Amino acid sequence: MGFSSITSGCGCCSLGWKSSSFLVPLRSNSSTPNGVLVSPTNRFNRLRVIRPYASASSEPLLVKAARGLPVSRPPAWMMRQAGRYMAVYRKLAEKHPSFRERSETTDLIVEISLQPWEAFHPDGVIIFSDILTPLPAFGVPFDIEDVRGPVIQTPIRSEEGLKALHPINLDKVSFVGESLKILKQEVGGKAAVLGFVGAPWTIATYIVEGGTTRTYTNIKSMCHTAPHILRALLSHLTEAIAEYVVYQVKAGADCVQIFDSWGGQLPPNMWELWSKPYINEIVGIVKKRCPEIPLVLYINGNGGLLEKMKGTGVDVIGLDWTVDMADGRRRLGDDISIQGNVDPAYLFSPLSALTDEIHRVVKCAGQKGHILNLGHGVLVGTPEEAVARFFDVARSFNFESVEEKTKVVV
């Protein structure tokens, strides 16, 4: 099924071209974007204002799309693209069963981060880490239990609890900086190296609740019963996270994504009060110190927040799969880039259905300012063949051929 047969399904206006006009033959799964075969055994050596950046022509495709610059095709990567769905990761995890070890040891971080790069060659290589990784660096120790997941033994819900906090000690996350430097060398400009952080509200939910939660009752009640304590916590987190973003950029990150994973659990007016101001502050600090670095904001369940998210000043808004891409583009406009938003469940569907859905999403997003991604992270059990198809389809687009045909018609 081509684009022309699904135009009505995505609600896009007709652009006067068909899928065949900007698709090239799919490459084999083991090829690089240049068609060079890649050995799966390759290992690393351990070692919307468009601004006139001088080196824009040599920037990774993903960075160009994040800035709204013209691209030949949509760059693609996946949230959780390194992880348990990959057999090579599961084999490594058997040798190193502790998630903290895997995500806090430089050699393991780099090896895991490069596993999908070697297998699929995405346009973004995201560091294998966790949004909770920096917590001990500013006074909040945590454990990860097999059943419960992350556990914070001493939740912060009082002024006394706030005394445990201190400015972030970046030496305690040196493995993150070291890993980003190595990834930058290994990828060699062929893809963007991606860093990421959790937004203050999302990090605060773990710290206040003591771990994961389905109800968020403690932190939501604090908005009314102890707002001064919650504001103090969020302010501290904002300073620490901003420093952590800058640290990742200086270490080699080409782009940084902010995950406000639990922001969507707030009513829109509450998100505007308790999450947005702190994200605004982070963006302001980072843009002042690292103005060339694109920032992405992703919120799970963000359909009611899109316009408010745009007001944070980030360069890219990530859409989850519950937002229609055409509607998201209409609501956000074409002066900001968007990311997403294929439903991760499509990777369990027939490959033809996955291909059609990617076509639909790209068609609805438009040719500029779109980073192809899932609407959430890769699910456990996802077939690697489907992940390979996702990236092969992304590489098959050719927007430049559309532009040439348009000129001829005109």
Side-chain angles (χ1 to χ4, degrees), residues 299-338:
I299 300 177
N300 189 29
N302 62 10
L305 299 171
L306 293 185
E307 292 85 356
K308 299 179 188 300
M309 291 171 68
K310 186 176 181 180
T312 60
V314 297
D315 303 277
V316 185
I317 300 294
L319 306 182
D320 78 4
W321 78 94
T322 65
V323 178
D324 180 79
M325 177 57 78
D327 184 53
R329 174 57 88 187
R330 178 186 60 78
R331 291 167 59 187
L332 290 168
D334 58 7
D335 58 342
I336 189 168
S337 295
I338 53 179

Side-chain angles (χ1 to χ4, degrees), residues 20 33 54 61 71 115 124 152 158 213 246 270 298:
S20 59
L61 193 69
V71 292
Q115 286 174 348
I152 295 171
S158 65
T213 176
V246 172
M270 293 294 283
Y298 173 82

Side-chain angles (χ1 to χ4, degrees), residues 1 3 23 355-363 393 397:
M1 182 187 299
F3 276 98
L23 294 176
T355 299
D356 288 344
E357 177 62 5
I358 294 171
H359 287 178
R360 186 190 69 83
V361 167
V362 173
K363 169 89 171 187
V393 174
F397 292 97

